[in-house]
Amino acid sequence: MSFDKFKPKYKIHEETENYFKLRAEAGAKPYDQLTVEEAREGNVANAKRFAGTTEFEGTVKEFTVPTKHCSDGIPITVYRSKHCDLCVAPSVFVYFHGGGNVVGCRQTVDTICRIFSRDAPCVVVNVEYRLAPEHRWPANHEDATCVVRWVKMNKSLLGATNESTVGVGGDSAGARLAATVCHDLPEIDYQVLVYPSVDLRRNYKSAEEFAEMPGLTKKMVDWFMDHYIDRSDLDNARASPLLHTNFNTLPPALIIIAELDALRDEGIAYHEKLKEAGVKSQIFTVKGVTHGFFHLPGHFKECCLRAHEKVSKFIKVHS
């Protein structure tokens, strides 16, 4: 799989081309050619190789959020940079990793959680929600709502204050969870949606245009969906938050889009729906990159830097 068919129309960033070249040399296979366990192992290995590390001074603590849905609770990791001491009331930013609702874990987004905690600065909550196929839709929605509700009641325990704002964010499937939480719970202060998967029906020009784009092909999307949700539920607004009818109570949004992404147009459509409802929403398109770059700043140094700066500034404005 190459970028040749896309080059007449788009300029592919060199970080993007190099990334897929390195993956091909390592024999990496798309998820739809793997078992679920192989895909999860590959996802973690990919993050270990390309996410990199970052300087971080502060505390990293583990908590378990109680829930009626599973006896073991929902594990979370809480990052509090030393720079939070300079804030009267540091914001709490709850982050949901991506991975098509099937792969991914807190470990894969550890680096970016540290970056946001340091640079905003803010307290970041990294959530280990349940995955399909063991836990199909709406299990991870239940976990996301449960964690944010608990966070709102326990801000001081996490190193914030009762006056601290609470925002939500995530990438891909995690962005959909964040968007859904904003529809489900009142008084969320802001949302950061990174190439959000907000309409599982996928009836968009970009889904067709990039059906064979490295990073997220149609075959991979179908593999994720088959493991996660029944086709009859795709037009449920809790599964596809773009289908909600009421947007005017939602918090301000930052939506980050990858230019070469099958999910591009639904992210733009969500931005337009927010704007039409009078909600403050800004959109930032990262040129020349595909789906999946955002949590890999060890490789996508230039592309991630611009996107991450946008996120940290947005959190700071809403702290």
Side-chain angles (χ1 to χ4, degrees):
M1 186 179 295
S2 73
F3 293 100
D4 290 346
K5 65 180 287 188
F6 302 104
K7 286 183 175 179
K9 184 176 180 180
Y10 298 100
K11 182 179 179 181
I12 315 299
H13 197 286
E14 63 179 354
E15 291 178 344
T16 302
E17 291 210 75
N18 290 340
Y19 172 71
F20 286 101
K21 180 181 178 182
L22 290 169
R23 281 181 52 83
E25 289 172 351
K29 295 180 179 179
Y31 294 141
D32 56 280
Q33 297 178 20
L34 302 173
T35 66
V36 168
E37 193 56 40
E38 289 171 340
R40 289 174 180 167
E41 291 173 358
N43 181 262
V44 171
N46 196 66
K48 283 182 178 179
R49 183 179 183 188
F50 295 112
T53 58
T54 192
E55 291 184 8
F56 178 82
E57 293 183 58
T59 60
V60 180
K61 297 181 179 179
E62 305 288 323
F63 294 86
T64 300
V65 176
T67 172
K68 66 180 181 181
H69 300 294
C70 54
S71 59
D72 293 336
I74 306 163
I76 61 173
T77 303
V78 178
Y79 308 78
R80 188 184 189 277
S81 164
K82 70 172 187 178
H83 300 302
C84 289
D85 294 338
L86 304 175
C87 306
V88 174
S91 183
V92 183
F93 181 46
V94 184
Y95 196 85
F96 303 100
H97 66 80
N101 311 286
V102 177
V103 306
C105 60
R106 285 176 294 168
Q107 183 181 356
T108 60
V109 293
D110 177 78
T111 297
I112 61 172
C113 287
R114 292 170 185 265
I115 289 172
F116 299 144
S117 180
R118 180 193 68 206
D119 293 350
C122 63
V123 176
V124 177
V125 178
N126 185 0
V127 183
E128 197 75 78
Y129 57 84
R130 289 173 293 169
L131 298 175
E134 297 90 339
H135 306 283
R136 291 172 64 85
W137 182 83
N140 57 356
H141 286 233
E142 296 165 347
D143 292 352
T145 303
C146 180
V147 166
V148 175
R149 186 180 286 121
W150 183 88
V151 163
K152 286 170 63 67
M153 294 188 295
N154 291 277
K155 289 186 281 188
S156 59
L157 175 66
L158 303 179
T161 73
N162 291 335
E163 291 72 38
S164 295
T165 60
V166 174
V168 294
D171 56 283
S172 193
R176 184 173 56 82
L177 295 179
T180 298
V181 166
C182 292
H183 285 280
D184 287 352
L185 296 180
E187 299 177 359
I188 304 297
D189 295 294
Y190 58 92
Q191 53 184 321
V192 177
L193 311 179
V194 181
Y195 32 73
S197 166
V198 285
D199 187 350
L200 300 185
R201 300 171 304 171
R202 302 279 188 262
N203 298 323
Y204 295 89
K205 181 181 176 182
S206 62
E208 179 181 346
E209 181 179 10
F210 300 124
E212 296 181 1
M213 172 62 74
L216 185 66
T217 64
K218 184 180 185 302
K219 287 182 179 180
M220 288 172 61
V221 170
D222 290 343
W223 184 84
F224 285 133
M225 290 298 99
D226 289 344
H227 284 302
Y228 178 58
I229 191 169
D230 294 339
R231 298 284 167 171
S232 59
D233 289 321
L234 297 184
D235 58 0
N236 185 310
R238 289 201 72 218
S240 299
L242 186 75
L243 303 183
H244 276 286
T245 55
N246 182 14
F247 277 70
N248 57 15
T249 60
L250 297 184
L254 169 64
I255 300 176
I256 293 178
I257 302 295
E259 182 185 29
L260 313 176
D261 184 5
L263 306 189
R264 183 190 66 195
D265 290 353
E266 60 191 84
I268 295 171
Y270 203 76
H271 167 71
E272 295 297 336
K273 223 129 181 228
L274 289 166
K275 297 271 284 184
E276 289 169 7
V279 176
K280 290 183 178 180
S281 178
Q282 53 184 284
I283 195 163
F284 178 65
T285 301
V286 184
K287 300 285 189 178
V289 295
T290 64
H291 192 88
F293 81 94
F294 184 80
H295 69 294
L296 303 174
H299 177 84
F300 290 93
K301 292 179 172 63
E302 181 183 335
C303 296
C304 280
L305 179 62
R306 288 181 284 137
H308 293 170
E309 285 178 344
K310 286 283 186 182
V311 173
S312 294
K313 289 178 181 178
F314 186 77
I315 295 172
K316 186 175 294 187
V317 166
H318 293 92
S319 294

